[in-house]
């Protein structure tokens, strides 16, 4: 889209343009504003499935939908913590795991631009599916993939998506102030070489 089209859409973006009245009704500055919860939809759905499992008295389970998951208790067949894999974002054909981690009583979500993108046939420019809500344009940053471990899958899903639209230094600063999150990030440095960043909590969960 050209800049005029993007600018016209940005006027509908921002929670500051929406409020909740005393009667608990949603008030919007413009009637064209709408909510899109796609960024946390899978995570929230898995959280609700987890509640259902608990209500049925099931305490050892691994729920997964499209890469987002919740792990509770242990793997009964091995009497050990659940072990899950994180995809390598630089493998185009098929799938290859970057690392394996143990997960117990936590949720995990991953986000990346390595599978969902389009390439302009005339210019060869790559357009990813993550849009920066501040600029209105796709975020062609150096971050290739983000995996977040949190207490709920909706939260992990939200942060994983948000971090794809943020600069890496901003992400590191947020992780430093929020001790409830663990993160594993694959990115490209100034030389275009692949690098990794992970919190100490992730390091302790890696299966050697």
């Amino acid at each position: 889209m050209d800049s005029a089209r993007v600018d016209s859409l940005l006027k509908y973006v921002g929670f500051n343009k929406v409020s909740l009245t005393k009667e608990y009704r949603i008030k919007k500055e413009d009637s064209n504003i709408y909510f899109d919860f796609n960024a946390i939809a899978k995570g929230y759905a898995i959280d609700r499935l987890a509640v259902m499992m608990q209500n049925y008295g099931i305490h050892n389970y691994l729920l997964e939908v499209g890469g987002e998951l919740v792990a509770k208790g242990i793997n009964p067949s091995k009497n050990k913590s659940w072990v899950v894999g994180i995809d390598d974002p630089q493998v185009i054909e098929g799938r290859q795991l970057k690392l394996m981690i143990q997960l117990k009583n936590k949720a995990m979500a991953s986000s990346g631009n390595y599978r969902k993108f389009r390439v302009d046939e005339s210019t060869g420019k790559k357009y990813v599916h993550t849009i920066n809500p501040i600029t209105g344009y796709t975020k062609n940053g150096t971050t290739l993939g983000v995996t977040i471990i949190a207490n709920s899958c909706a939260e992990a899903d939200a942060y994983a998506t948000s971090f794809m639209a943020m600069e890496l230094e901003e992400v590191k600063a947020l992780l430093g102030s929020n001790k409830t999150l663990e993160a594993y990030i694959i990115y490209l440095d100034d030389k275009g070489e692949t690098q990794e960043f992970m919190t100490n909590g992730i390091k302790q969960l890696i299966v050697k």
Side-chain angles (χ1 to χ4, degrees):
M1 294 186 290
D2 60 30
S3 58
R5 175 64 172 161
V6 171
D7 288 343
S8 69
L9 292 174
L10 280 176
K11 66 181 181 181
Y12 305 127
V13 177
F15 271 111
N16 60 306
K17 299 171 184 176
V18 180
S19 60
L20 198 63
T21 69
K22 292 181 179 180
E23 294 76 28
Y24 299 104
R25 297 181 65 86
I26 296 173
K27 181 181 179 182
K28 301 185 289 185
E29 288 186 5
D30 191 293
S31 60
N32 290 308
I33 294 174
Y34 69 93
F35 296 113
D36 183 349
F37 293 105
N38 183 59
I40 63 169
K42 284 190 294 183
Y44 177 75
I46 295 173
D47 285 337
R48 300 313 302 165
L49 287 172
V51 171
M52 183 184 72
M53 297 288 275
Q54 295 292 138
N55 289 342
Y56 276 102
I58 303 172
H59 304 293
N60 297 306
Y61 57 85
L62 178 68
L63 297 172
E64 186 268 343
V65 176
E68 273 64 89
L69 53 87
V70 168
K72 292 290 185 179
I74 62 172
N75 183 339
S77 64
K78 298 182 179 180
N79 199 33
K80 294 181 179 179
S81 296
W82 296 100
V83 175
V84 298
I86 298 175
D87 280 348
D88 187 337
Q90 293 181 297
V91 175
I92 305 300
E93 297 293 333
R95 284 188 163 177
Q96 182 174 314
L97 296 180
K98 191 71 173 178
L99 53 81
M100 305 281 287
I101 63 172
Q102 300 178 63
L103 205 61
K104 183 178 181 180
N105 299 330
K106 289 287 185 177
M108 188 178 89
S110 296
S111 186
N113 288 319
Y114 47 93
R115 296 193 186 279
K116 295 181 180 179
F117 61 86
R118 290 189 294 179
V119 177
D120 189 311
E121 295 181 357
S122 59
T123 65
K125 186 175 180 179
K126 181 179 177 180
Y127 291 91
V128 299
H129 79 286
T130 301
I131 296 176
N132 186 325
I134 298 175
T135 67
Y137 292 95
T138 58
K139 177 67 175 182
N140 289 333
T142 56
T143 301
L144 301 177
V146 176
T147 295
I148 299 294
I149 295 176
N151 292 323
S152 73
C153 203
E155 183 180 16
D157 209 355
Y159 276 110
T161 303
S162 299
F163 287 174
M164 287 301 303
M166 295 168 60
E167 297 298 332
L168 183 58
E169 293 307 313
E170 294 176 322
V171 171
K172 290 180 179 179
L174 194 154
L175 289 170
S177 63
N178 189 334
K179 301 303 181 181
T180 66
L181 303 175
E182 301 296 344
Y184 173 62
I185 302 171
I186 304 173
Y187 66 97
L188 299 177
D189 62 18
D190 295 337
K191 297 180 180 179
E193 297 179 354
T194 304
Q195 303 292 343
E196 298 178 352
F197 168 82
M198 65 180 74
T199 56
N200 289 329
I202 291 286
K203 293 177 183 178
Q204 296 172 10
L205 296 173
I206 295 176
V207 178
K208 304 295 185 180

